[in-house]
Amino acid sequence: MLTTVIIWLTIGFAFFLLFLSVWLVIRKSFGVLRERQLNAYRKRYLAVIPPLLLIDTPIGPVEESKRAWQTAIAFQLAAAARSFHTGPRLWRGVQHEAAQSVLEELSGTISGETRHRITYLFEQFGFVRRQIAHLSDRRWWVRGEAARRLGIMRSRQAVPALVRLLHDKEKDVRLSASDSLLDIAGVKGALSQVLQNLTTITQWMGVQLSKRIIAAGPAAISPLLAGLESPSVSVRRFAIRMLGELRAPEVIDPLSTHFGSMERETQILALHTLGRCGDEKVLDLLLQNTESQDVGIRIAAVMALGYLGAPSTVPRLKHILLEDRLPVGRAAADALACIKPTGIHALITVADTGTGHARALALEQLDESSLEETAQ
Amino acid sequence: MTPFEIILESYTAIVLFYFVATSVGYAILLAISFYAIRDYVHRSGTIDYLAILQSELSTPISIIAPAYNESATIVQNVHSLLSLHYPTTEVIIVNDGSKDDTLNLLINEFALRQSHRAYFPTIPTEEVLGIYRSTKRQWDSLVVIDKVNGGKADALNAGINVSRHPLYCAIDADSVLEDDALLKASRPFMDDPSVVAVGGIVRIANNCVVERGRVVEIRLPRKRLPIFQIIEYLRAFLAARMGWSEINGLLIISGAFGLFRKDVVLACGGYNRNTVGEDMELVTRMHHYLLERGLRYRMVFVPDPVCWTEVPETLWTLGRQRNRWQRGLLDTIILHRRMFLIPRYKQVGMLGLPFFAQFEVLGPLVEFSGYLIIPLSALLGFLNLKTFILFFVVAFVYGVFFSVGAVLLEEISFRRYPRPADLIRLLLHALFENFGYRQLTVWWRVKALWDYFHGEKGWGAMQRTGFAQGRGRT
């Protein structure tokens, strides 16, 4: 009996494997065909869509000019939309995908007035409506992908739905929604809302968001300062870090005032930011923290002194290089190398008269500097 | 019943139990991997990796590549490492006492000069003879360490001692990373601060078109032996490591491509110089160290960042490689035997190590004994032909299932082999590897166990033809 069961199970399993293999090959072959068809449709749409975008309109107020363009393309637009339903039924989805990908590609290369025209085409072809519908899909990856694509389409119709998505349970969806909101409404318009609504910002999310924030420059400072008040520690840390990257002097007072009440990791970030902002009124705070019991805080304070570049700190940094532990000494050597020429002179002295790791670190820094000069 | 029949019956029962346990274990891993890969593929669809390139917030990485007699490929490969996409990296090449002109080639090509880079042997290593830096700005992230030969583990330790960044990437100097490999592999560290190590997938570059240290066209190898190895690699990486990663029981991060948090590796004492399986041993020791202290951590396998490597095309070289791998595995299991079946060591002690010991160490012995006992039983008239054929067919179908499963994972995810003909060849090789190739690998692994207990400690020679020698294709 058992033998019979095993025999039948094995035969069934063998057939399943055969079926699976054949299915894989068919799927792959169909994939190749689909790819070819997609490319063919893309070529077709690449010939149709760019001329629509480049139609000239009479010079005048922006809104009038927009309306004139919309009227001018109305006929061709309807024809293009109809063409989605003319091909073989099997390839309808591919047709849509091709048109959308052509628009997305153009969207990445065009700015200014033409950018609004692409958004209009996305809306008219129904792509925006479809992606907004996908934002409520129960599968998180569909929501995430829709959020990402809406960012490319830059339609303001999507803003309310994207704001709701900032509370999604999946962090990749929240990230896509944040990115897209910054794309659609700009850093000035959307960053406050993003920072208010997000409950955590991981380093990864920070990396993704920072690109747009740095590009926005001073426009991002005010929303970031508001972010310092967030109840979320990770949001506050992100705001501190970004303000440091932007070298915003406005952050010095709030950080100096609240420094004592911050947690250790936030203090480390704050020291870096204070150093980057380059104002000597934080000198006392930084020097005071070079004497902290915590190695991490000492390293951050020493590095901040390097960013600040004040010659008056050279004796203290030299002392740290000679006396403190290896990682702090290394930070001190790095900091001295940033303060030219007095820091370099101090390094030369340590290289000549110092011993142990202090001398090795000084020699290393001088070597780095000479390499830099040779390279220049 | 005669004593021989009793022995045979007992043996059959053990083999059956072993077979069922193996089948169930691997099937569970395959199922876990399936869901994990599906999730990964969905997740990577929404990611803009290029954002890292423009961000100051990414974690800097030191790339450490030990080199021993690599003159055939070293210059091309260093160029390739220097042009990887990542905002802040330093490339540390450790010339581990090469007897050929590896060092001179580097000095001449990259305008190196001896530097005063400080060397603090936090992990003890063989003597460092010199540290070189380039005088050219475009290569200012290159550091070359010249040291007395001490083996791969020792070279990696020297690289760690010199490195300046909080993450390091250990790679083989003769492998080729894809441009975005670091971007993809670094993500888990930035997403979750408890991640201490990340392994990427190693793929086979034989017959691929390689230009300027980059794989520009992916093709299946022409020879059978490398194709069999492709099936094996897909099984090992996509079907097994992905599953282990999901349950945080990953015991191997390939020495050819892995990213580690330096502070954790330093706390564990770096690579063990006295084993040939230093990559697996380090990962197991990290588990040991972190679990002993009750720290929360994760080790992750990422199936997408690709490291391309050349695999052996001759049986002799492949045999030496497999022998070394098996000895390394056994060494690690013996070194960390204290973790076995102790609940404190969680999934590693309760699942990972016992699994590897039972299926990867003892498995070849069980299979090999079958190849001996079946003809012997037939010769003595004890073999029940019906049962034998049934068992053989079941084992064969199951073996094919696992290989086809690995190909399926590849097809639903990354589809690196573009042509339907490639897929058909892969599926056919998944079928035929059970006749001859599988038995050979069993023999190599059994021999490795013999060698291990008879004191063989060496690496064995590995002949490499090199990716780029003006012929464009390997």
Side-chain angles (χ1 to χ4, degrees):
Chain A
M1 177 63 186
L2 183 67
T3 314
T4 318
V5 170
I6 293 174
I7 290 172
W8 280 109
L9 274 177
T10 310
I11 293 171
F13 210 50
F15 270 103
F16 167 68
L17 280 181
L18 189 67
F19 170 76
L20 185 67
S21 305
V22 172
W23 175 74
L24 279 175
V25 174
I26 292 173
R27 185 176 178 271
K28 182 115 188 163
S29 308
F30 183 73
V32 172
L33 274 179
R34 190 179 186 283
E35 195 65 31
R36 273 190 210 151
Q37 201 63 41
L38 184 73
N39 286 335
Y41 281 123
R42 273 179 53 81
K43 265 187 198 158
R44 190 187 294 177
Y45 293 128
L46 272 170
V48 173
I49 295 173
L52 286 184
L53 296 169
L54 299 173
I55 286 175
D56 282 333
T57 51
I59 298 166
V62 176
E63 283 308 312
E64 266 180 39
S65 171
K66 268 187 194 172
R67 270 196 295 276
W69 175 75
Q70 287 167 10
T71 315
I73 66 155
F75 180 73
Q76 287 137 299
L77 193 64
R82 268 201 308 278
S83 79
F84 292 162
H85 304 286
T86 53
R89 210 178 178 76
L90 182 67
W91 299 124
R92 295 263 166 91
V94 178
Q95 275 180 296
H96 279 91
E97 195 182 323
Q100 189 166 334
S101 77
V102 165
L103 281 172
E104 284 175 359
E105 191 181 313
L106 293 169
S107 176
T109 53
I110 290 171
S111 56
E113 173 58 19
T114 324
R115 189 72 201 64
H116 297 294
R117 293 180 177 187
I118 291 183
T119 300
Y120 179 75
L121 291 185
F122 275 125
E123 287 167 355
Q124 291 304 305
F125 286 141
F127 295 139
V128 172
R129 199 175 53 247
R130 186 186 301 176
Q131 296 302 333
I132 290 175
H134 284 165
L135 293 181
S136 339
D137 198 284
R138 65 183 178 81
R139 293 163 298 176
W140 68 262
W141 59 89
V142 176
R143 297 196 299 276
E145 177 64 7
R148 187 185 70 81
R149 295 192 116 157
L150 284 166
I152 297 170
M153 295 174 189
R154 303 215 184 155
S155 168
R156 288 200 168 258
Q157 293 172 13
V159 170
L162 286 172
V163 171
R164 278 196 299 277
L165 225 57
L166 292 174
H167 296 281
D168 196 276
K169 59 180 185 290
E170 178 59 45
K171 66 172 182 282
D172 281 359
V173 178
R174 298 198 296 270
L175 176 58
S176 287
S178 311
D179 262 350
S180 295
L181 279 169
L182 294 178
D183 279 340
I184 296 169
V187 167
K188 201 171 181 181
L191 186 58
S192 297
Q193 199 145 29
V194 168
L195 295 180
Q196 268 169 29
N197 284 283
L198 287 178
T199 47
T200 49
I201 296 183
T202 63
Q203 186 188 356
W204 176 256
M205 291 170 86
V207 164
Q208 301 278 320
L209 297 174
S210 66
K211 181 176 80 170
R212 288 164 180 83
I213 294 173
I214 299 290
I221 291 174
S222 165
L224 286 170
L225 286 170
L228 293 177
E229 307 298 323
S230 166
S232 157
V233 178
S234 64
V235 174
R236 286 201 302 272
R237 286 181 190 165
F238 175 71
I240 293 173
R241 181 85 200 258
M242 288 288 63
L243 286 161
E245 293 294 327
L246 292 169
R247 289 169 170 73
E250 296 90 330
V251 75
I252 291 173
D253 286 337
L255 287 191
S256 310
T257 315
H258 296 111
F259 187 82
S261 59
M262 291 172 183
E263 330 71 38
R264 176 184 180 271
E265 296 301 322
T266 315
Q267 282 185 331
I268 289 175
L269 281 175
L271 288 169
H272 281 284
T273 293
L274 289 170
R276 282 177 200 277
C277 291
D279 192 321
E280 293 202 10
K281 69 182 175 187
V282 296
L283 208 54
D284 286 345
L285 179 69
L286 297 184
L287 285 169
Q288 195 184 322
N289 278 284
T290 59
E291 288 165 20
S292 164
Q293 294 297 309
D294 185 314
V295 175
I297 298 270
R298 285 212 301 281
I299 291 174
V302 166
M303 288 171 77
L305 288 174
Y307 302 143
L308 198 62
S312 61
T313 61
V314 168
R316 175 74 191 133
L317 288 171
K318 187 177 159 192
H319 176 77
I320 292 168
L321 172 59
L322 287 165
E323 302 297 330
D324 212 325
R325 292 165 58 177
L326 177 60
V328 192
R330 174 158 257 158
D334 286 348
L336 284 168
C338 297
I339 306 170
K340 289 169 182 160
T342 45
I344 299 289
H345 292 154
L347 284 171
I348 292 169
T349 316
V350 175
D352 288 342
T353 58
T355 53
H357 75 245
R359 182 169 182 272
L361 289 169
L363 279 170
E364 178 181 273
Q365 275 308 328
L366 292 169
D367 197 58
E368 293 278 338
S369 305
S370 77
L371 277 172
E372 266 174 38
E373 278 165 23
T374 316
Q376 279 162 11
Chain B
M1 275 179 119
T2 65
F4 186 76
E5 279 177 304
I6 294 170
I7 292 171
L8 200 64
E9 285 281 310
S10 317
Y11 173 78
T12 311
I14 291 170
V15 170
L16 270 179
F17 168 76
Y18 171 80
F19 176 73
V20 172
T22 315
S23 309
V24 171
Y26 280 116
I28 291 172
L29 268 184
L30 187 64
I32 297 173
S33 299
F34 180 83
Y35 285 103
I37 286 183
R38 210 181 60 152
D39 186 76
Y40 179 85
V41 171
H42 290 318
R43 209 167 282 283
S44 47
T46 59
I47 293 171
D48 175 14
Y49 283 108
L50 292 181
I52 307 180
L53 278 179
Q54 295 156 331
S55 174
E56 291 287 317
L57 270 63
S58 55
T59 311
I61 298 175
S62 302
I63 301 165
I64 305 174
Y68 178 71
N69 292 347
E70 303 280 358
S71 58
T73 56
I74 193 73
V75 169
Q76 275 293 350
N77 288 341
V78 172
H79 275 296
S80 160
L81 290 176
L82 286 166
S83 58
L84 286 174
H85 295 171
Y86 200 81
T88 316
T89 56
E90 60 175 353
V91 176
I92 301 172
I93 307 296
V94 189
N95 177 44
D96 190 32
S98 296
K99 294 190 180 103
D100 63 3
D101 56 352
T102 299
L103 182 64
N104 284 331
L105 284 171
L106 289 171
I107 289 174
N108 294 333
E109 175 72 17
F110 297 100
L112 301 179
R113 74 157 167 81
Q114 203 149 6
S115 81
H116 283 105
R117 177 92 171 223
Y119 185 78
F120 302 110
T122 318
I123 311 169
T125 63
E126 292 292 335
E127 188 190 351
V128 168
L129 303 170
I131 298 176
Y132 296 81
R133 301 288 307 275
S134 176
T135 50
K136 298 273 171 70
R137 168 165 286 190
Q138 71 262 39
W139 298 315
D140 62 358
S141 62
L142 177 64
V143 180
V144 175
I145 305 172
D146 183 32
K147 66 179 276 292
V148 172
N149 180 266
K152 188 179 173 187
D154 194 62
L156 284 164
N157 286 339
I160 294 171
N161 286 338
V162 166
S163 67
R164 297 285 303 263
H165 297 323
L167 294 181
Y168 80 87
C169 171
I171 77 152
D172 285 346
D174 49 23
S175 300
V176 168
L177 286 185
E178 286 193 345
D179 284 345
D180 57 1
L182 289 180
L183 299 175
K184 288 174 175 168
S186 63
R187 183 195 169 173
F189 290 101
M190 295 189 232
D191 228 1
D192 178 357
S194 71
V195 171
V196 296
V198 169
I201 193 167
V202 178
R203 285 180 183 266
I204 292 171
N206 302 45
N207 198 39
C208 289
V209 181
V210 180
E211 283 174 13
R212 295 166 172 265
R214 291 273 174 281
V215 174
V216 291
E217 189 184 340
I218 298 166
R219 289 164 172 248
L220 271 189
R222 273 170 290 194
K223 294 184 181 170
R224 287 207 185 114
L225 204 56
I227 303 185
F228 286 138
Q229 291 173 74
I230 289 180
I231 304 277
E232 277 187 310
Y233 275 49
L234 289 179
R235 253 194 334 246
F237 284 96
L238 295 183
R241 288 191 200 177
M242 197 69 203
W244 284 116
S245 167
E246 272 304 287
I247 55 173
N248 202 21
L250 193 64
L251 284 185
I252 309 178
I253 286 177
S254 170
F257 179 36
L259 252 74
F260 298 86
R261 235 175 70 185
K262 195 170 78 177
D263 58 340
V264 178
V265 173
L266 283 173
C268 295
Y271 289 87
N272 183 343
R273 296 192 293 172
N274 301 315
T275 178
V276 288
E278 77 294 325
D279 44 4
M280 183 182 186
E281 202 283 327
L282 174 70
V283 172
T284 312
R285 191 145 37 86
M286 286 168 75
H287 278 295
H288 202 150
Y289 174 88
L290 294 160
L291 286 167
E292 210 147 61
R293 283 154 186 79
L295 300 170
R296 199 178 85 80
Y297 73 96
R298 276 179 65 218
M299 294 197 202
V300 180
F301 173 73
V302 195
D304 198 10
V306 176
C307 170
W308 293 94
T309 193
E310 180 200 17
V311 295
E313 290 194 345
T314 64
L315 289 174
W316 184 82
T317 324
L318 181 62
R320 294 297 303 159
Q321 184 196 54
R322 294 307 157 92
N323 185 295
R324 176 165 53 82
W325 287 2
Q326 190 70 3
R327 280 185 288 124
L329 167 69
L330 187 58
D331 214 14
T332 303
I333 285 175
I334 289 174
L335 280 169
H336 297 279
R337 60 189 179 279
R338 210 157 54 81
M339 296 170 81
F340 263 74
L341 301 174
I342 307 287
R344 179 186 181 187
Y345 296 112
K346 296 185 178 170
Q347 53 278 33
V348 177
M350 300 299 285
L351 269 177
L353 282 171
F355 186 96
F356 272 83
Q358 189 184 340
F359 302 131
E360 299 292 337
V361 176
L362 294 180
L365 280 178
V366 173
E367 198 169 333
F368 183 71
S369 65
Y371 296 134
L372 294 180
I373 285 183
I374 288 165
L376 186 68
S377 310
L379 212 65
L380 297 173
F382 292 116
L383 186 72
N384 181 336
L385 197 64
K386 251 188 185 172
T387 313
F388 164 69
I389 292 174
L390 180 63
F391 184 75
F392 176 79
V393 171
V394 170
F396 169 73
V397 169
Y398 182 75
V400 176
F401 164 70
F402 202 59
S403 300
V404 171
V407 176
L408 168 80
L409 289 181
E410 164 72 2
E411 277 302 307
I412 60 162
S413 53
F414 308 110
R415 293 189 284 272
R416 289 294 182 137
Y417 300 100
R419 296 175 304 174
D422 294 338
L423 176 62
I424 293 170
R425 281 181 75 200
L426 277 178
L427 289 169
L428 286 175
H429 279 78
L431 196 72
F432 291 126
E433 69 164 347
N434 291 283
F435 304 103
Y437 181 74
R438 179 179 169 148
Q439 289 72 22
L440 261 178
T441 56
V442 166
W443 163 243
W444 288 325
R445 291 162 80 182
V446 170
K447 188 169 176 302
L449 297 181
W450 173 270
D451 288 347
Y452 181 84
F453 289 111
H454 286 79
E456 166 72 50
K457 296 282 178 197
W459 268 63
M462 169 81 183
Q463 289 171 338
R464 294 204 183 263
T465 49
F467 285 120
Q469 293 170 23
R471 61 202 166 105
R473 192 171 290 176
T474 61

